[in-house]
Amino acid sequence: MTTRGTPPEDAKAMRLLVLGINYAPEFIATGLYTTGFAEYMAQEGVETHVVTARPYYPAWRTFDGWKRPWWKTRTSENGTRIVHCPIYVPAVPKGARRMLHYISFALTALPVLLWKALTRRPDVMVLIAPSLLPAPLLLAVAKLSGSKTWLHVQDFEVEAAFATGLLQKHSRGGRFALNFERWVMARFDRVSSISQPMLAKLRAKGVRKERVVEFRNWADLERVQPLTGPS
């Protein structure tokens, strides 16, 4: 007999590695959902490793107590092994500074990815987007370790960059970003997103239909409270 979160003694626990720039103690947006996913998998007996950044969102300022410029490791109550990587956090996250933010995470996450891949040999490596920039690194490391790859898209960051004016669609940078996005997405074993319209966008971007998976965000209904008046 086994308890919840404990695999049978003769079974090999599945090994999962999650790479995402946002994670607890961030408490809203992508970090909240990535944390919920990883912690649930750990509860179910999956050996779960997370490579993330030092917390900074939504204030775009590194949280108090997290400002030392090196890697920090911890283990959650559910047994998730978490490594927080140092990153550059711009006070005004626009243009080149925002790109440097994502590049810094890709660079500081790389040695951790390599170490985890070679020592733990994950069965599956999951990248949470945003950001797509570490994708080539994860794909290369997964090939070394023989891991399957999964991309989960919370937001289409290239389209968001066009909408906010960070990139111009028909500029050289805009065309490169679109081509990079299509190239990356075509190389993952599975690509998921949170709604049917977003799945349609994945297919429109060239992801084969059989690789597309719906993976919705969850909601804690106990925290949903009715408001008085229009809302």
Side-chain angles (χ1 to χ4, degrees):
M1 176 178 288
T2 61
T3 59
R4 186 184 180 194
T6 305
E9 291 184 2
D10 58 349
K12 174 184 176 292
M14 175 184 171
R15 291 173 177 168
L16 172 69
L17 187 147
V18 180
L19 175 65
I21 197 169
N22 301 106
Y23 201 79
E26 294 181 6
F27 52 88
I28 65 171
T30 302
L32 179 68
Y33 296 117
T34 304
T35 303
F37 163 62
E39 294 301 322
Y40 174 81
M41 297 301 286
Q43 281 183 349
E44 294 299 309
V46 175
E47 183 184 308
T48 306
H49 298 259
V50 173
V51 182
T52 187
R54 288 180 174 268
Y56 67 91
Y57 190 82
W60 284 90
R61 186 182 70 247
T62 303
F63 284 18
D64 291 340
W66 291 81
K67 295 182 179 181
R68 294 180 178 178
W70 52 73
W71 291 258
K72 179 175 181 178
T73 62
R74 64 186 178 93
T75 302
S76 74
E77 291 182 0
N78 295 316
T80 305
R81 289 85 154 182
I82 306 155
V83 179
H84 292 270
C85 303
I87 57 166
Y88 163 66
V89 181
V92 182
K94 293 184 178 180
R97 291 182 180 182
R98 194 181 188 110
M99 291 297 294
L100 285 173
H101 168 70
Y102 290 134
I103 290 170
S104 71
F105 176 60
L107 292 177
T108 59
L110 178 57
V112 184
L113 281 178
L114 280 170
W115 175 252
K116 296 281 188 181
L118 296 176
T119 59
R120 302 312 306 163
R121 299 283 178 179
D123 297 295
V124 182
M125 300 180 72
V126 178
L127 173 65
I128 308 295
S131 162
L132 280 177
L133 275 177
L137 303 179
L138 182 139
L139 290 166
V141 170
K143 193 169 184 179
L144 282 176
S145 62
S147 308
K148 294 292 185 182
T149 56
W150 188 306
L151 171 65
H152 179 58
V153 180
Q154 289 280 5
D155 191 14
F156 290 99
E157 57 195 296
V158 175
E159 292 185 13
F162 294 153
T164 57
L166 291 177
L167 279 176
Q168 299 301 315
K169 188 171 184 179
H170 300 294
S171 67
R172 183 178 298 177
R175 292 193 299 270
F176 173 82
L178 285 170
N179 289 333
F180 175 79
E181 180 185 57
R182 290 178 66 93
W183 182 87
V184 162
M185 289 182 173
R187 280 157 177 78
F188 278 80
D189 296 308
R190 291 287 184 274
V191 183
S192 59
S193 196
I194 60 178
S195 68
Q196 285 296 321
M198 292 181 76
L199 299 183
K201 280 184 177 289
L202 291 176
R203 293 189 290 269
K205 292 176 182 292
V207 182
R208 299 207 312 251
K209 182 178 180 180
E210 64 271 18
R211 293 187 178 184
V212 173
V213 179
E214 184 175 13
F215 184 24
R216 289 181 177 268
N217 286 334
W218 50 269
D220 185 350
L221 296 181
E222 293 183 359
R223 296 191 178 189
V224 178
Q225 301 293 332
L227 301 178
T228 57
S231 66

